[in-house]
Amino acid sequence: MNLLLAEVAQATLRLADAGVPSPRFDAEELAAFVHGVKRGTLHTVADGDFDARFWEAVARREAREPLQHITGRAFFRYLELQVGPGVFVPRPETEVVVGWAIDALRAMDVAEPLVVDLCTGSGAIALAVAQEVPRSVVHAVELDPGAFRYATRNASGSRVVLHAGDALTALPELDGTVDLVISNPPYIPLEERDEVAPEARDHDPEMALFSGPDGLDFIRVLSKTAYRLLRPGGLVVVEHADTQGGAVPWIFNEEAGWVDAADHRDLTNRPRYTTARKEGA
Ligand SMILES: C[S@@+](CC[C@H](N)C(=O)[O-])C[C@H]1O[C@@H](n2cnc3c(N)ncnc32)[C@H](O)[C@@H]1O
């Protein structure tokens, strides 16, 4: 084994002891980042190239700083996004939510589908939709100025139209015209704060995570905003916590005007997002 791979193995043990959920992956990612190579080519790094920057990065991860804050980047579907303190790190489970939306948009008989991403954070969802549905027109809304700065950088050169402001009152000029509203909003119950992983609790912005005692304050109002924005027959897609697979479809079923409310699971088979259609058309 070359020296670097031996160091990676040692770092893996340290990260595992610190409770990092994916210690080998993270140790390899940090080594690859420090050496400017892809994870799969780590074995090609010469022993002499190894330096203290790797152990500095490992120490930060050991203290449960998110991997993506250390590297400054997050991978999301086919995108590499800039992230760091002040913006929510996009999660793999959200990729499945976006996948549903992309499939639905491709299946729609609409030449240039109009899409709104509410609570865009780094811009991950909006940018993925714009990239993978080439004729889509995508608007994205974010209230937190710190997050909005990341979204602005990530969206530079893309077709996504960014709006700074409150998602719940946003874009009245689009009322009744939108084909699909998508959102990964704050949804963690305040009472579950102590159970949140340190990477999120100590490093994601507070307003990205929590939404009232049961976590559903935002989604209850979001259902009204989505209804206002959508055209008849338009679709809403909302991510939620794995404990909310009963409650969120119920919110849509309880409100007049929605049909086909359904809940869906993520790749780990946990309830993850709700979809519904505005009646008509
Ligand atoms: C869970 S994060 C999701 C970010 C991004 N969509 C993603 O999936 O990576 C929720 C985002 O909602 C934003 N947010 C919270 N309340 C908001 C509001 N009233 N209007 C707009 N954005 C809001 C937060 O600042 C945060 O960026």
Side-chain angles (χ1 to χ4, degrees):
M1 197 191 297
N2 75 14
L3 180 60
L4 178 59
L5 295 186
E7 303 271 4
V8 166
Q10 210 182 317
T12 301
L13 292 177
R14 269 177 61 174
L15 296 183
D17 281 349
V20 170
S22 48
R24 170 160 289 277
F25 175 87
D26 287 22
E28 291 179 353
E29 274 290 297
L30 290 174
F33 171 70
V34 163
H35 292 285
V37 298
K38 295 235 183 289
R39 210 157 43 94
T41 58
L42 270 177
H43 60 283
T44 64
V45 176
D47 283 352
D49 291 347
F50 189 75
D51 68 48
R53 285 178 305 142
F54 175 63
W55 288 109
E56 284 161 24
V58 170
R60 288 172 67 183
R61 187 69 191 100
E62 210 173 9
R64 306 297 295 270
E65 192 173 335
L67 175 71
Q68 297 85 349
H69 281 201
I70 302 167
T71 62
R73 65 189 185 191
F75 298 99
F76 186 82
R77 292 185 68 92
Y78 302 103
L79 299 165
E80 182 177 328
L81 300 160
Q82 287 186 39
V83 295
V87 72
F88 181 86
V89 173
R91 306 292 207 271
E93 52 267 33
T94 306
E95 294 180 321
V96 179
V97 184
V98 177
W100 189 95
I102 288 168
D103 289 347
L105 287 164
R106 287 177 179 157
M108 264 180 203
D109 192 15
V110 178
E112 295 183 351
L114 182 55
V115 181
V116 173
D117 171 19
L118 298 174
C119 302
T120 199
S122 64
I125 294 176
L127 287 162
V129 171
Q131 184 183 52
E132 295 181 57
V133 186
R135 301 178 74 90
S136 58
V137 177
V138 185
H139 293 260
V141 187
E142 173 58 48
L143 182 59
D144 179 356
F148 192 79
R149 279 194 286 278
Y150 281 96
T152 305
R153 280 202 290 276
N154 286 322
S156 159
S158 81
R159 300 195 319 281
V160 171
V161 186
L162 290 176
H163 305 264
D166 188 340
L168 298 174
T169 52
L171 303 173
E173 65 277 18
L174 298 184
D175 281 1
T177 65
V178 175
D179 294 296
L180 183 140
V181 171
I182 184 166
S183 185
N184 174 19
Y187 55 64
I188 300 176
L190 273 169
E191 56 206 32
E192 288 177 16
R193 177 188 292 274
D194 292 345
E195 292 146 52
V196 175
E199 285 86 349
R201 190 192 58 219
D202 303 338
H203 297 279
D204 280 325
E206 179 94 3
M207 72 180 283
L209 301 180
F210 302 103
S211 190
D214 64 355
L216 294 171
D217 282 7
F218 195 95
I219 293 179
R220 285 193 192 92
V221 188
L222 177 86
S223 65
K224 295 175 176 43
T225 303
Y227 190 84
R228 165 173 70 73
L229 288 168
L230 288 172
R231 62 160 168 85
L235 297 169
V236 63
V237 192
V238 188
E239 182 169 327
H240 58 64
D242 58 8
T243 52
Q244 296 165 343
V248 177
W250 191 80
I251 289 172
F252 287 91
N253 277 326
E254 275 295 288
E255 260 173 36
W258 291 107
V259 291
D260 302 338
D263 204 62
H264 308 259
R265 290 173 177 256
D266 62 20
L267 295 176
T268 62
N269 205 29
R270 294 192 177 93
R272 183 54 61 198
Y273 61 102
T274 295
T275 58
R277 190 162 57 84
K278 182 172 172 174
E279 73 182 355

